[in-house]
């Protein structure tokens, strides 16, 4: 609220921005524009981020239609995008590849949906957290961008543990945010989620400090997770 006052932002500014974005999305064949041969609506991370923004922004600005649209989009990605192993892939409805960031993106949207509507969203978020921990954990701490079981020997030998927000929020920032928030939502049974988030921040915090503003996602995760732990 104080930051909004300093920047002279008003609730109607948020409404105007989001309404314009909604109108553009609806008027562009539900997002089909300027993305090569792929429909942007097919990208798990993009859809999940948009759903989270609609739910959170709608709750703050009391725009129930936005919340409903965000919940509908979250459910669509969840129902169409999850494979038989409980993972979500980069493209909604595809069979691969699967990346850690997409699990975390959808997990954050599920947590937003849980706060707004309850239901089974929290259970589904825990399922994605299990996938993240079992398939993407790096023995050195943090998370690899790709599954450790990938057949590609280069990926197995040199897994990336990104903290750099370029061009999207880093996988480890997203994972720590998701697991930290999930642990807080679950309560005592969520101890392993909080511990994984804290370990990610502890192991990769020094690298994030060297990157400064280019590691904003893990910086935000560190602030949230360590505040909850104190």
């Amino acid at each position: 609220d104080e930051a909004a006052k300093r920047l002279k932002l008003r609730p109607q500014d948020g409404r105007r921005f989001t309404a314009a974005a909604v109108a553009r999305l609806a008027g562009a064949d539900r997002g089909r524009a300027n993305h090569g041969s792929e429909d942007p609506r097919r990208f798990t991370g993009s859809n999940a981020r948009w759903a989270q923004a609609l739910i959170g922004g709608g709750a703050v600005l009391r725009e129930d239609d936005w919340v409903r649209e965000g919940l509908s989009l979250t459910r669509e990605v969840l129902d169409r995008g999850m494979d038989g192993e409980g993972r979500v892939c980069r493209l909604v409805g595809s069979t691969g590849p699967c990346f850690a960031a997409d699990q975390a993106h959808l997990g954050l949207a599920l947590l937003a949906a849980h706060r707004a509507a309850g239901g089974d969203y929290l259970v589904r978020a825990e399922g994605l957290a299990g996938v993240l921990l079992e398939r993407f954990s790096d023995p050195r701490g943090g998370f690899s961008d790709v599954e450790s079981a990938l057949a590609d020997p280069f990926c197995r030998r040199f897994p990336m543990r990104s903290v750099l927000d370029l061009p999207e929020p880093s996988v480890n920032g997203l994972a720590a945010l998701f697991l930290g928030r999930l642990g807080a939502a679950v309560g005592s049974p969520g101890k392993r989620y909080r511990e994984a988030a804290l370990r990610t921040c502890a192991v990769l915090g020094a690298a994030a400090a060297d990157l400064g503003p280019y590691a904003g996602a893990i910086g935000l995760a560190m602030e949230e997770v360590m505040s909850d732990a104190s």
Side-chain angles (χ1 to χ4, degrees):
D1 289 344
E2 290 300 319
K5 289 177 182 176
R6 288 198 302 272
L7 294 169
K8 298 181 180 179
L9 290 175
R10 302 161 298 172
Q12 54 265 41
D13 295 324
R15 291 191 180 93
R16 187 179 302 114
F17 170 81
T18 309
V22 170
R24 182 168 183 177
L25 184 65
D29 189 17
R30 291 184 68 80
R32 188 187 302 277
N34 300 324
H35 214 300
S37 61
E38 296 292 352
D39 180 353
R41 292 274 302 188
R42 292 192 62 207
F43 283 83
T44 296
S46 300
N47 280 287
R49 289 195 300 273
W50 179 236
Q52 189 182 355
L54 283 170
I55 295 169
V60 170
L61 297 172
R62 300 180 182 178
E63 295 284 355
D64 293 341
D65 288 345
W66 299 353
V67 175
R68 282 192 288 270
E69 173 70 13
L71 292 172
S72 174
L73 183 54
T74 301
R75 179 62 65 180
E76 179 184 349
V77 175
L78 187 63
D79 291 344
R80 289 182 54 223
M82 188 165 285
D83 68 12
E85 299 181 54
R87 308 168 303 172
V88 288
C89 298
R90 175 55 49 96
L91 297 179
V92 176
S94 73
T95 57
C98 296
F99 295 91
D102 295 315
Q103 322 307 309
H105 276 307
L106 184 54
L108 288 166
L110 288 168
L111 291 178
H114 165 70
R115 289 192 296 270
D120 67 341
Y121 292 110
L122 187 60
V123 172
R124 304 301 292 270
E126 285 200 78
L128 280 177
V131 169
L132 196 61
L133 291 167
E134 292 165 17
R135 291 177 173 266
F136 296 92
S137 290
D138 189 291
R140 300 166 295 174
F143 297 88
S144 300
D145 290 344
V146 297
E147 291 185 78
S148 56
L150 275 181
D152 188 332
F154 181 86
C155 290
R156 287 202 308 270
R157 187 174 179 185
F158 302 107
M160 293 178 63
R161 293 187 304 162
S162 173
V163 293
L164 179 65
D165 298 336
L166 185 67
E168 297 181 354
S170 70
V171 59
N172 281 285
L174 289 168
L177 271 174
F178 169 44
L179 293 171
R181 290 178 185 178
L182 178 60
V186 171
S188 297
K191 181 180 179 181
R192 71 173 183 139
Y193 306 133
R194 292 191 297 274
E195 288 180 347
L198 280 168
R199 185 171 182 229
T200 299
C201 292
V203 170
L204 298 174
D210 291 339
L211 291 169
Y214 301 102
I218 198 166
L220 177 60
M222 290 172 69
E223 181 182 13
E224 282 197 21
V225 172
M226 297 177 79
S227 295
D228 289 341
S230 61

